[in-house]
Amino acid sequence: MTFIVEIFPGLREMMNLHPVWVHFPIAFLSVFFLVDLLAAVFRSRALFVVANWLLGLGALGAVVAAAFGLQAALTVPHPPQVHEILETHRYFALNATALAWLLLIWRLLNRGRFWLVGRLFHSLLALFMVLNLMLAADYGGLMVYKHGVGVKAVPAWPPGASGHRHGSAWDELREWMHEIIPHSHAPGHEHHHHAH
Ligand code: HEM
């Protein structure tokens, strides 16, 4: 395990893996909703099967994310004003996880054969699941980006070192080109080496 941490310096600084893992259920379950909607609109069996897989992976991913989250809540220190945000986050996240499993079990039990009203209700429930998921993610981000939960204290920058901003996205892309093709030359551009 330790070699993984050596290749990924960011991972080494994390208190827990919850913020790493959450991307999987967020991506799988939101794309599931869209693909399943397209499957219904175009009556496509192929898209329906893709949606099944997305939902399955998302439901499994959500359980793992929730387990890491419950562990994070036990171990990451948070002030009283954050406690309520954490409970709201937990509420929406567990709702989304339970709804994802409900949708999955429904699809497995009926083997993908829906009655028209059932299909409509299934998609409405999927929308409700994604809304819970988005709200959970939003409250999660609020904890991190506003209140710094799970974030190490940022050291003060040395005096006189005013933080610099990057000028344009084109410059960023040009810099990357120089990194992968070192001898390429762009007029008027300073070569920039990053410390490793
Ligand atoms: C499907 C389930 C879940 C999803 C998708 C989810 C999503 C998120 C997201 C997006 C963040 C912000 C991460 C960042 O900005 O880097 C977060 C943070 C957090 N979540 Fe969750 N969450 C889930 C379940 C839970 C549960 C059940 C708990 C338990 C109460 C929980 C506790 C936390 C805590 C304590 C943080 C602060 C950051 C940390 O130290 O981990 N999460 N979550």
Side-chain angles (χ1 to χ4, degrees):
M1 279 306 269
T2 49
F3 77 95
I4 297 183
V5 155
E6 272 160 38
I7 325 176
F8 299 106
L11 211 52
R12 182 167 43 206
E13 302 297 327
M14 303 201 61
M15 289 193 188
N16 65 76
L17 288 181
H18 182 62
V20 175
W21 195 269
V22 293
H23 299 88
F24 294 106
I26 293 171
F28 282 131
L29 293 176
S30 48
V31 178
F32 151 72
F33 171 67
L34 294 175
V35 170
D36 191 48
L37 216 57
L38 289 177
V41 170
F42 295 110
R43 296 166 185 271
S44 158
R45 196 72 205 168
L47 285 178
F48 187 83
V49 172
V50 173
N52 284 345
W53 279 91
L54 290 167
L55 178 59
L57 291 168
L60 284 173
V63 169
V64 177
F68 276 129
L70 291 168
Q71 187 223 356
L74 294 178
T75 52
V76 177
H78 54 277
Q81 69 268 30
V82 171
H83 190 72
E84 209 168 313
I85 303 174
L86 176 61
E87 301 218 311
T88 310
H89 172 67
R90 183 186 62 197
Y91 171 75
F92 286 125
L94 294 180
N95 283 355
T97 307
L99 287 169
W101 279 93
L102 188 70
L103 290 164
L104 181 63
I105 290 166
W106 185 348
R107 289 164 92 95
L108 290 176
L109 287 183
N110 78 356
R111 291 158 186 254
R113 268 183 278 275
F114 283 98
W115 181 49
L116 178 66
V117 177
R119 187 66 175 97
L120 260 150
F121 188 62
H122 189 83
S123 290
L124 265 177
L125 208 59
L127 174 65
F128 187 56
M129 181 272 290
V130 169
L131 284 176
N132 275 272
L133 183 69
M134 295 295 125
L135 282 164
D138 188 74
Y139 278 87
L142 185 65
M143 267 191 290
V144 175
Y145 296 97
K146 183 169 181 199
H147 298 283
V149 176
V151 172
K152 289 185 180 166
V154 181
W157 287 343
S162 59
H164 82 281
R165 281 170 199 270
H166 289 200
S168 81
W170 287 118
D171 284 344
E172 307 278 306
L173 289 174
R174 209 173 294 131
E175 233 170 82
W176 170 67
M177 279 306 291
H178 284 300
E179 274 161 6
I180 58 170
I181 312 170
H183 298 297
S184 63
H185 183 70
H189 182 72
E190 290 292 312
H191 221 87
H192 194 95
H193 284 288
H194 293 278
H196 284 292

